[in-house]
Amino acid sequence: MNHTEAAIARIRDLFAENADGHGFDHSMRVYRTALRIAGTEPAADLLIVSLSALLHDADDPKLFKTENNFNARSFLAGQGLSAETTDRICEVINSVSFSKNRGRRPETIEGQIVQDADRLDAIGAVGIARTFAYGGKHGRTPEDSIGHFHEKLLLLKDLMNTAAAKEMAESRHAFMERFLEEWKRETEETATPGSYQGGAE
Ligand code: NI
């Protein structure tokens, strides 16, 4: 098993209990998207991109009570990677973490790529589904979650670091706008008594 395969096995285990859109499937999509973006950025180190993407939520404070990237570090130590490589990976992970970096642009190209991949997974059809799954788990109504689109998700398209991610964000962003228009139309027509022009109930 190479490092990447081992990381996939590790996060499958780590996120086994998680179904709110921050788990294994999300990490795998971020990994694949990050590799796709990295294919357009020749300076990117693919091992760093791969392992950082796979492990980017392994110490997410929303899910784990770990310190100093404990889950990521203990996995990487078991892989026999050098201290320098381990530090580089943890630096990328921390530069992508909103709680640690407050959404600032990561300094390394690997960090920029993984942040873009993570943000791409927060928009489009996947982003819509994850927003409602996360909201429901935390006691938010669908109406509350709609607010999150305006506060955060509709802003992400303009925050992408790489050219490839900017391009990928376009259709995902357009789909969210269509979804919000349809949401507005349906909720407005059911908000006013007598305004519904459809057939029998
Ligand atoms: Ni993430």
Side-chain angles (χ1 to χ4, degrees), residues 26 56-57 118 130:
H26 162 66
H56 84 279
D57 276 339
D118 197 27
R130 290 180 65 221

Side-chain angles (χ1 to χ4, degrees), residues 30 35 71 76 131 152 155 166 187:
V30 170
L35 279 186
N71 287 337
L76 295 167
T131 300
K152 185 165 178 215
L155 311 179
K166 283 189 179 105
T187 49

Side-chain angles (χ1 to χ4, degrees), residues 51-112:
L51 293 180
S52 308
L54 287 167
L55 297 168
H56 84 279
D57 276 339
D59 292 281
D60 183 337
K62 291 193 291 296
L63 304 175
F64 305 105
K65 302 274 164 279
T66 53
E67 275 178 38
N68 191 27
N69 305 93
F70 177 81
N71 287 337
R73 280 185 188 280
S74 50
F75 166 77
L76 295 167
Q79 289 296 301
L81 290 163
S82 70
E84 192 223 325
T85 303
T86 298
D87 286 343
R88 277 179 72 196
I89 292 168
C90 291
E91 200 187 303
V92 169
I93 292 172
N94 295 341
S95 74
V96 171
S97 153
F98 188 80
S99 62
K100 294 204 177 79
N101 196 35
R102 312 312 301 175
R104 284 194 296 269
R105 182 185 170 95
E107 283 171 23
T108 62
I109 183 64
E110 292 84 6
Q112 291 169 16

